[in-house]
Amino acid sequence: MYYLISIVAFGLSLIPTSLCHIVARLIGTLIYYFIPVRRKVTFENIDRVYGETLTSTEKRKIALESYQTLAIVGIETLRLHYTSQEKLLSLVSVHGSEHLDNALAQEKGVIVFAGHFGNIVACGCAEAVRGVPVNVIAKGMHNKAAERFYFETLQKFGVKRIPTRRSKEQITQALNQGETVYMVVDQHMPAHRGLICDFFGQLASTTPAPTRFARETGAQIIPCQTAIRQEPGKHQINYREEFLLDLDGEEDEILRTNTERINRIIEADLQRYPGQWLWQHKRWKAHDKPDDWNIPKDLLKLLE
């Protein structure tokens, strides 16, 4: 299986980028219409966020684009294995790099948080090539051949992987060494790893990791958003000014307050690129089964 994936990836790397994007959009469209993988979840999530503010046609457009984005990311990630470092750098433009570079210069470590927008894999690899000491938290895959191929691709560009299980020591070590740890913060977290927060007016278990590790290590926090540009194969990274922690209150209150603030940033990012977000993910499990969670009193109103 590994060699089959490699052959397919090599073949895709020989095809012009513009044609690959046409093929990817076609694949995404076919999946959307004929293979209803998570389509019900996708529309439920879009309804949660937009309600009656968008028409059915506008919602279908967002859903279709999200499937096309997934297909583009899949094909681009395969092609990435056979892309040179120089080529990758030419495909990714970085805005606000001074915010990250200034934070790295403090040598206290940097936590970069982002959501699932565009191709975060290609962008992370490009930053490693640019010289950023990139560590990413990534779980394993069920298909071990695909896992091997994927992590070899990351390693090729200098990205270091931190497994999701028992990751605390490795995250702390990377930050103490003045490196950067990239955290994706818009996925549902199991009860032992998440805090119940408001996300688009509904309950969502959210990781408090950026705040917690910044408190423990003194690392700075930098918000980031990635996006696929209109020109085929091109990507954009947007870094923003340092996220300063609100330190009022007890420890639990500090974690919750700042995690909520991070959610507001992800919400704003989603409004900018709704078709590039991972709508297929079950983000609001806590809202659908509130009895399984310890809901803060001030958030109970969201269930009314």
Side-chain angles (χ1 to χ4, degrees):
M1 176 63 75
Y2 172 83
Y3 295 106
L4 177 60
I5 295 172
S6 298
I7 292 170
V8 171
F10 180 72
L12 287 171
S13 71
L14 300 177
I15 301 173
T17 302
S18 58
L19 179 57
C20 276
H21 269 237
I22 292 174
V23 171
R25 291 186 184 280
L26 177 60
I27 291 173
T29 301
L30 290 173
I31 292 173
Y32 171 78
Y33 281 108
F34 300 109
I35 309 175
V37 178
R38 295 268 177 139
R39 192 166 62 189
K40 183 173 182 288
V41 172
T42 298
F43 277 104
E44 287 177 349
N45 287 343
I46 293 174
D47 283 334
R48 290 177 189 270
V49 172
Y50 291 105
E52 301 301 322
T53 64
L54 294 182
T55 66
S56 296
T57 299
E58 290 170 326
K59 292 176 182 178
R60 285 195 295 270
K61 181 179 179 182
I62 291 173
L64 175 58
E65 186 179 345
S66 72
Y67 278 91
Q68 292 173 338
T69 296
L70 283 175
I72 289 171
V73 171
I75 285 181
E76 285 185 340
T77 301
L78 287 170
R79 284 164 54 89
L80 196 59
H81 196 83
Y82 294 99
T83 300
S84 68
Q85 294 187 356
E86 294 76 14
K87 177 64 174 178
L88 179 59
L89 283 178
S90 72
L91 297 175
V92 180
S93 59
V94 184
H95 300 273
S97 59
E98 67 275 8
H99 301 306
L100 176 61
D101 296 342
N102 291 339
L104 282 170
Q106 303 301 313
E107 299 183 349
K108 295 181 180 180
V110 183
I111 297 165
V112 176
F113 73 80
H116 281 87
F117 297 95
N119 191 336
I120 55 178
V121 178
C123 291
C125 289
E127 283 296 84
V129 174
R130 188 169 72 88
V132 176
V134 175
N135 294 268
V136 297
I137 304 170
K139 62 183 179 181
M141 301 178 180
H142 294 298
N143 187 310
K144 294 307 175 183
E147 177 182 276
R148 175 187 168 190
F149 183 87
Y150 176 62
F151 290 128
E152 281 182 357
T153 301
L154 297 184
Q155 186 177 23
K156 166 188 172 180
F157 293 102
V159 175
K160 289 178 278 188
R161 178 217 175 186
I162 297 176
T164 53
R165 292 188 177 182
R166 301 179 180 88
S167 59
K168 181 177 180 179
E169 183 177 342
Q170 292 184 59
I171 293 172
T172 301
Q173 182 180 12
L175 293 173
N176 287 337
Q177 291 174 347
E179 298 182 357
T180 305
V181 177
Y182 285 70
M183 299 182 179
V184 182
V185 296
D186 60 349
Q187 285 193 313
H188 167 80
M189 287 287 109
H192 67 285
R193 293 177 57 196
L195 294 178
I196 300 300
C197 294
D198 175 354
F199 189 59
F200 281 106
Q202 298 193 52
L203 303 175
S205 179
T206 307
T207 177
T211 302
R212 176 171 284 131
F213 282 101
R215 293 274 287 158
E216 293 179 358
T217 67
Q220 293 187 40
I221 304 176
I222 300 294
C224 171
Q225 182 179 31
T226 57
I228 296 172
R229 298 170 64 184
Q230 288 188 345
E231 186 177 354
K234 295 296 183 72
H235 306 272
Q236 183 171 305
I237 304 173
N238 296 304
Y239 290 110
R240 305 187 182 97
E241 294 181 353
E242 179 187 357
F243 179 87
L244 298 174
L245 293 175
D246 182 341
L247 300 178
D248 291 337
E250 300 295 328
E251 185 64 25
D252 289 347
E253 186 179 354
I254 290 172
L255 283 177
R256 165 93 180 285
T257 297
N258 289 288
T259 302
E260 289 275 9
R261 291 174 60 214
I262 289 174
N263 271 357
R264 301 293 83 77
I265 292 174
I266 299 300
E267 288 174 353
D269 288 345
L270 187 150
Q271 299 290 8
R272 293 187 189 94
Y273 297 100
Q276 294 193 30
W277 194 56
L278 188 64
W279 290 101
Q280 294 78 10
H281 175 66
K282 294 183 178 181
R283 182 69 181 94
W284 287 276
K285 291 182 180 180
H287 194 91
D288 294 337
K289 295 185 178 181
D291 293 340
D292 297 341
W293 304 84
N294 182 21
I295 310 298
K297 290 183 179 179
D298 63 307
L299 292 183
L300 288 175
K301 62 181 184 294
L302 298 179
L303 294 171
E304 297 174 356

